[in-house]
Amino acid sequence: MLLNRKYIPVLVTFGLFLAMFAAGSFRYTGFFSSQVLLNLFIDNAFLIITAVGMTFVIVSGGIDLSVGSVIALTTMVSAALVQQQGWPPSVVIPLVLIMGAVFGSIMGAIIHYFNIQPFIVTLAGMFLARGLCYVISINTITIDNAFYTSAAQTKISLPGGSYISVSVVIALAVVLFAIYMAHYTRTGRNVYAIGGSEQSAVLMGLPVARTKILVYTFSGFCSALAGVVFTFYMLSGYGLHAVGLELDTIAAVVIGGTLLTGGVGYIAGTVIGVLIQGVIQTIISFEGTLSSWWTKIVIGLLLFVFILLQRVLSERRLT
Amino acid sequence: MANKLIKHHLFWPLSVLAALLLFNLLYSPDFFRIVVRDGNLYGSLIDILNFGAPLILVSIGMTLVIATKGIDLSVGSVVAISGAVACLIVSQASDQSAMGVIWTAIASSLLLAVLLGVWNGVLVSAARIQPIIATLILMVAGRGIAQLITSGQIITVSSAPYQFIGAGSFLSLPFSIFIVGAVLLIAALLARKTALGLFIESVGSNPRASRLAGLRSGTVILSVYMFCSLCAGIAGIILSSNVSSADGNNAGLWYELDAILAVVIGGTSLNGGRFYLMGTVVGALIIQTLTTTIYMIGVPPEITLVVKAFVVLAVCLIQSEAFRKSIMHRWKKRKYPAEQEVATHAS
């Protein structure tokens, strides 16, 4: 058998992405262009960054519900400091990134040391971050700082007349770093080991506490970075930004072939999972007559199919 | 005696509720005033019961699901779907006030809610998918289905009998309170006067052992999810009838989180195996009172989220064995040095 069984979910996801893109290209004129493909990255850069962080959390056997709220909090803090306090972006951006990382590490510490389910702790984190947004302001704060607007409008031209935005470069850098971390470092292997069986990881003497807290710290950092990118994208801070993004993120990770029980999953699969959601949205906007809620229904169906697929694959492995 | 009181599972939830009510009393002496207008009772306390009714209903269903070590994230979507179906049927009828139309609307939306519960239950019990994930599917897709039913718009109905369900009065109290009471009574009777409650707790503490002991674990899990969806369906009807409209996008948003919170505050452990229906009801009332209080003080209602975050965290920390141990350890160390010494010598 040439093909390793563990790659099947990722390959299925990739095949599905190609099929959807091909179907779109046949059906709509102007769909098959490099710019449509690149737009998938431009419009979903923040989702890619968040989903990468979430992949680590899910591989370690946890879940992080706070990502959407942390993005909203980041946009809000950035907007308030830059626009209302007049702080320079060179100070604000590192500050919000540290804030996200600290937020994640606190959640990770509570999850590990007090042995409370990640679901509940990150749920509290989600409430807290979303609530803090409204403590800052309940209205939208528009940003017209020169740095942010230029970051939003800069187009990096590629050969062939297409272009990408700064956000895409950041997202790709995060993806490359994450792939390196997951597969070529000791920390990455520890994450997979903990997801496979936490008890065994403890007995093997792996640094479980450090790794688990690190995973949530990284997820918090990714959410904050996604928040910065989101600020570039929206040029405003608002407490209702990125509502329900945690679901899109989890869906992308699952569609990307990561096992929700932990221990199995690939960063590359997650990126394709995000792109599949992007293709669905693009197809719906090209179709014109379909309404936006079909996105949710189709994503729900895909979730169902992939979870069943995982179920079947993991059962076979057991027998 | 005092120790026994503190150990009772309702002690902490009730104290929190009492503290909240006391705060309200001190803040505004009018809080407890109930006036009689047109033969109906009005007042903040009645409002809390009335507006809290859908949450209490959803939380009762959620309690049983959590008791089986499961979780149902789809209740918010089910609330939206059942409200949408009921309002759609009523709004398309030629005579919106005809009793036949109302009964058809209620029956079909509740039937749909139960079917959605079957979907969740089959995924969890037969396909053996983790409950969080299995119900996540319906949580995502369900919002889309609700918007599909309402065509993305807000359906309004003008039907006096339909409005009665959520906004009407019966025996000078809001009618929704009686619905909640009936559901609570049925759930409590089934859970505590029949073996069903024991089955649920048994499946929650160890599904495999229960199955080997001759219990149909799958059937128990399936029926629990069906009941939870049914409760969410009733809540959806009450919610939509209270405002005489159905909004597929926003109805029941975040209900799953509030319901889980209410269950946890009520003392039911998320690890399954034990449940307290009355604790859940008190938990839901705490959340509703908290919301009302925050509205009354005049801070932006969105701040509720920050308060909720700390409540969730505090409750979970108290429930966490590791946290209790570290606190108790320190407490004991300080209080009984002799005992500490004995312990070190003994080990």
Side-chain angles (χ1 to χ4, degrees), chain A residues 114 120 123 134 247 307 311, chain B residues 128 133 136 257 270 316 320:
Chain A
F114 297 131
I120 291 297
L123 177 66
Y134 296 115
L247 291 180
I307 289 166
R311 188 78 231 164
Chain B
R128 278 180 290 134
I133 312 311
L136 178 72
L257 302 181
L270 282 167
C316 287
S320 148

Side-chain angles (χ1 to χ4, degrees), chain B residues 198-214:
Chain B
L198 203 61
F199 290 174
I200 290 172
E201 294 188 335
S202 152
V203 169
S205 31
N206 193 333
R208 211 174 123 79
S210 322
R211 195 167 50 79
L212 294 176

Side-chain angles (χ1 to χ4, degrees), chain B residues 222-345:
Chain B
L222 180 66
S223 51
V224 161
Y225 280 93
M226 281 164 63
F227 179 71
C228 184
S229 263
L230 177 67
C231 286
I234 301 174
I237 292 177
I238 293 179
L239 211 59
S240 66
S241 108
N242 198 358
V243 290
S244 284
S245 65
D247 179 356
N249 207 10
N250 292 318
L253 205 60
W254 308 130
Y255 253 60
E256 54 283 339
L257 302 181
D258 276 350
I260 295 168
L261 184 56
V263 173
V264 173
I265 293 177
T268 302
S269 160
L270 282 167
N271 295 320
R274 237 187 317 165
F275 67 95
Y276 304 107
L277 282 173
M278 281 322 288
T280 298
V281 173
V282 176
L285 286 176
I286 289 176
I287 295 176
Q288 192 60 41
T289 314
L290 194 68
T291 315
T292 314
T293 309
I294 286 172
Y295 271 108
M296 205 178 62
I297 301 175
V299 289
E302 289 83 2
I303 308 276
T304 325
L305 288 174
V306 179
V307 181
K308 267 186 201 166
F310 285 109
V311 173
V312 181
L313 207 58
V315 170
C316 287
L317 283 179
I318 292 171
Q319 281 196 358
S320 148
E321 212 166 303
F323 181 77
R324 271 201 315 249
K325 257 186 199 157
S326 70
I327 294 286
M328 285 309 272
H329 191 64
R330 236 166 255 172
W331 184 64
K332 276 199 167 165
K333 227 187 216 166
R334 221 173 33 222
K335 205 161 186 188
Y336 309 114
E339 192 189 72
Q340 174 76 19
E341 208 163 290
V342 170
T344 45
H345 280 295

Side-chain angles (χ1 to χ4, degrees), chain B residues 9 33 37 92 110 255 266:
Chain B
H9 67 268
R33 209 177 62 182
R37 215 178 297 148
Q92 282 179 345
L110 291 186
Y255 253 60

